[in-house]
């Protein structure tokens, strides 16, 4: 048995409030615990989005009632919530800026508004950006000029990782995360996935982009699932929304890479526990750990998962390592692979 | 009589080769001399565009045959000329990167190509970017990370000048130019101009943007006309191309501002002569100066101008200061307001 610290996923979508047919806090955090995550940071593009004191309070209430693992909530930046957002910073996991097209109503287009958020957000608190390609260089400039730390969400391309590498060499305070699906899938997998199920933002990239991520693992601070559940009816429908579930496949995929010596176990723990804890200023969860049967080999079966969305882009994919037991704050929340924590056991780490 | 150094316009479009019905080197540099400019740097978005050794040689030949004043030529960056452009750097005024929509075929969209140009272009040579809003922050990040100087073309908005101001405070090697039309016109002038004649990139901005430029004159390194002639038939036609002529109105407009004490004469000379000379590494033009009747008041009349395009967005606008005499390298090239230099008198300052 391998013992690991509780894993932290800094990028999940719990879909509550507003789209609980896809996921809610109870189902999404069951998936988290089953996947070895004891703390998740949830994105604000719910319905309504989390952008002010009222919507933050509503999202917190839903999370406190439903969450089986610990959590934090991001606040979304909009054109008109600059000062309000800054005032709420201490109660959130960070500020999320959507700077490119994705799922949900939050998107900032104008330089003026983006710069205003970077100028006003408290420097000690994290800022996370969905920023692809040119947008990534743009927000990096603004963050650096305004002396803010920047965490780059789901970096996916060779040019992006080259840019973050260079900025780190120059001493810029930038960190980044990469998703398992951008590490293990590329656009060559799209025909097998099908057009709707393959929709994700950032899009699955080229084989060369995928290889560039593996070649630059030392530049990658975190692995983040970007768990973004939608139902199969939606994914196979006429306007498929972008997003993959990922909480229950991340660890198995990455332990597979450890087995194949593409990654060391130490690197995995840094990117799934210690680095996100440091970057997001998360207090240690006492008496929290997981046990993993590292030798277990299995194939991804969405039917066995806890996420309400009931599908996976990795269906049938061979992975390694079974989470058999999870202890969260002294309580056994997963036992023999079964999630035992009740909704409401999770705590708001920024409450 | 006021004596000034020969003015330098770092941003003109001479339309030759490819669109000599709008302007050519002979007509465009007659306009330059009439406006007090003894040196112009010409943009590469001709037909064909100036992007390689062959097109540069053709453009140089056209300019040497037609130019009445001295000149330099920019080279345009494309997705596939990164190394070739860098190899031609010493024969050009600089690298021009089109990072937003404008007139002509040159536009770079992908981060990969933009970053490659900034990584390969010789650090000592200028890079000029058409980059508005978000694109401006993007290219500033890339230039700074790759340790390149960046000159920002026709900056026009409050958020952009705030960004350049901050970057200068932080020690970034960035300079910028502003056009007379963004200083003297704004979107409130569009109804009077009409939809076609009002088309220009960057667009005429808001009154607040216009005021921000005047409030930040110390951040502005150069005044550049962005002389971009199109015929009235084109401007009033079904698909009006963006662009204003400007060489023959720039000095009069700015001397008007000097008269109104919105600007000092020293600031004008810095921005129209000494700063562009320093930024673009231009050798002094010996025995070169102009005489201006500073007290002369006149109204802009396109019919009296030398530019082939035969219209002005400033028609009827009251301005100050008549260029009565221009001496370029010891020869009187304008006398009693009449252009006397022949086509071919102008020299390629990077030849």
């Amino acid at each position: 048995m391998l013992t690991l610290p509780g894993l932290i996923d800094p990028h999940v979508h719990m879909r509550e409030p507003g789209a609980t047919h896809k996921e809610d806090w109870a189902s999404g955090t069951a998936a988290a615990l089953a996947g070895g995550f004891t703390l998740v940071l949830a994105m604000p593009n719910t319905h309504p989005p989390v952008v002010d004191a009222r919507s933050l309070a509503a999202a917190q209430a839903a999370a406190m009632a439903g969450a089986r693992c610990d959590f934090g909530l991001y606040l979304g930046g909009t054109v008109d919530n600059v000062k309000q957002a800054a005032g709420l910073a201490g109660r959130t996991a960070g500020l999320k800026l959507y700077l490119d097209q994705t799922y949900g109503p939050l998107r900032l287009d104008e330089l003026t508004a983006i710069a205003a958020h970077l100028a006003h957000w408290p420097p000690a608190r994290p800022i996370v950006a969905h920023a692809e390609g040119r947008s990534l260089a743009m927000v990096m400039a603004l963050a650096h000029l305004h002396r803010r730390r920047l965490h780059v969400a789901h970096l996916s391309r060779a040019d992006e990782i080259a840019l973050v590498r260079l900025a780190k060499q120059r001493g810029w305070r930038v960190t980044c995360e990469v998703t398992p699906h951008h590490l293990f899938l590329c656009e060559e997998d799209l025909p097998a996935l099908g057009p709707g199920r393959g929709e994700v933002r950032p899009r699955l990239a080229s084989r060369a982009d995928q290889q560039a991520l593996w070649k630059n693992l030392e530049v990658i601070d975190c692995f983040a699932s970007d768990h973004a559940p939608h139902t199969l009816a939606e994914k196979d429908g006429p306007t498929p929304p972008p997003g993959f579930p990922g909480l229950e496949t991340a660890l198995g995929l990455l332990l597979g890479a450890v087995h194949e010596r593409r990654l060391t176990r130490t690197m995995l723990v840094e990117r799934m526990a210690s680095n996100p804890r440091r970057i997001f200023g998360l207090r240690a969860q006492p008496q929290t750990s997981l046990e993993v049967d590292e030798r277990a080999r299995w194939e991804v079966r969405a039917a066995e998962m806890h996420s309400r969305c009931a599908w996976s882009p990795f269906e049938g994919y061979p992975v390694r390592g079974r989470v058999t037991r999870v202890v969260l704050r002294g309580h056994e929340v997963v036992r023999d692979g079964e999630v035992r924590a009740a909704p409401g056991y999770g705590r708001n780490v920024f409450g």
Side-chain angles (χ1 to χ4, degrees), chain A:
Chain A
M1 281 297 163
L2 171 68
T3 301
L4 296 176
L7 304 180
I8 299 171
D9 192 334
H11 193 146
V12 304
H13 298 267
M14 288 288 132
R15 305 300 188 208
E16 185 180 2
T20 52
H21 66 287
K22 300 175 195 274
E23 196 78 286
D24 63 17
W25 277 95
S27 63
T29 54
L33 286 174
F37 296 96
T38 56
L39 173 47
V40 296
L41 303 181
M43 289 296 165
N45 59 336
T46 45
H47 297 275
V50 179
V51 294
D52 55 20
R54 177 191 289 250
S55 53
L56 178 61
Q60 282 172 335
M64 286 173 69
R68 303 174 199 261
C69 72
D70 293 347
F71 63 89
L73 302 178
Y74 291 103
L75 195 80
T78 71
V79 289
D80 51 14
N81 78 343
V82 171
K83 288 181 183 170
Q84 199 171 8
L88 294 167
R91 294 161 58 189
T92 72
L95 177 68
K96 178 67 184 288
L97 299 177
Y98 287 93
L99 305 173
D100 282 297
Q101 188 268 324
T102 189
Y103 179 73
L106 294 171
R107 175 165 164 173
L108 280 175
D109 280 321
E110 290 296 319
L111 175 64
T112 311
I114 303 164
H117 274 293
L118 287 158
H120 284 86
W121 185 255
R125 305 291 306 136
I127 298 169
V128 178
H130 177 152
E132 303 179 38
R134 294 166 62 127
S135 301
L136 176 59
M138 178 270 293
V139 72
M140 283 170 61
L142 294 176
H144 186 69
L145 287 169
H146 288 287
R147 295 181 171 155
R148 261 61 180 181
R149 291 192 294 131
L150 180 72
H151 180 74
V152 181
H154 44 49
L155 191 144
S156 65
R157 285 177 15 186
D159 53 4
E160 294 165 351
I161 199 127
L163 182 61
V164 171
R165 169 186 279 279
L166 179 58
K168 286 184 171 194
Q169 284 170 358
R170 297 278 190 259
W172 290 24
R173 294 194 301 164
V174 58
T175 55
C176 69
E177 68 189 32
V178 167
T179 70
H181 52 268
H182 290 113
L183 284 168
F184 291 93
L185 299 173
C186 73
E187 60 191 7
E188 295 171 20
D189 296 297
L190 284 171
L193 281 167
R197 298 191 194 188
E199 281 288 349
V200 69
R201 296 294 177 280
R203 296 176 196 279
L204 294 182
S206 70
R207 175 75 68 188
D209 288 318
Q210 183 186 12
Q211 288 167 344
L213 301 182
W214 284 104
K215 279 182 200 146
N216 288 280
L217 283 176
E218 78 280 11
V219 181
I220 299 169
D221 299 280
C222 305
F223 297 136
S225 73
D226 189 9
H227 180 78
H230 300 286
T231 66
L232 266 186
E234 292 165 335
K235 293 296 278 184
D236 293 343
T239 54
F244 295 162
L247 281 165
E248 291 169 89
T249 45
L251 182 61
L253 289 162
L254 290 159
L255 284 173
V258 170
H259 180 80
E260 293 171 1
R261 302 185 188 282
R262 308 176 72 186
L263 184 72
T264 68
R265 204 184 287 158
T266 301
M267 292 170 75
L268 181 148
V269 171
E270 286 169 353
R271 285 156 186 73
M272 301 184 85
S274 38
N275 288 351
R277 192 172 292 287
R278 174 180 48 80
I279 291 165
F280 292 93
L282 305 167
R283 288 183 295 273
Q285 294 166 288
Q287 290 180 273
T288 297
S289 63
L290 41 147
E291 285 176 13
V292 179
D293 177 3
E294 201 177 12
R295 286 159 307 177
R297 301 169 62 167
W298 49 291
E299 289 183 355
V300 173
R301 296 279 171 245
E304 297 167 6
M305 291 182 178
H306 299 77
S307 171
R308 185 159 297 151
C309 76
W311 77 283
S312 168
F314 292 104
E315 184 73 26
Y317 203 97
V319 292
R320 291 255 168 186
R322 277 277 184 200
V323 175
T324 53
R325 185 165 178 263
V326 179
V327 178
L328 171 57
R329 288 183 275 103
H331 288 81
E332 201 173 49
V333 291
V334 173
R335 183 177 187 173
D336 298 331
E338 185 194 337
V339 176
R340 300 167 72 96
Y345 180 69
R347 287 189 189 164
N348 182 357
V349 297
F350 298 104

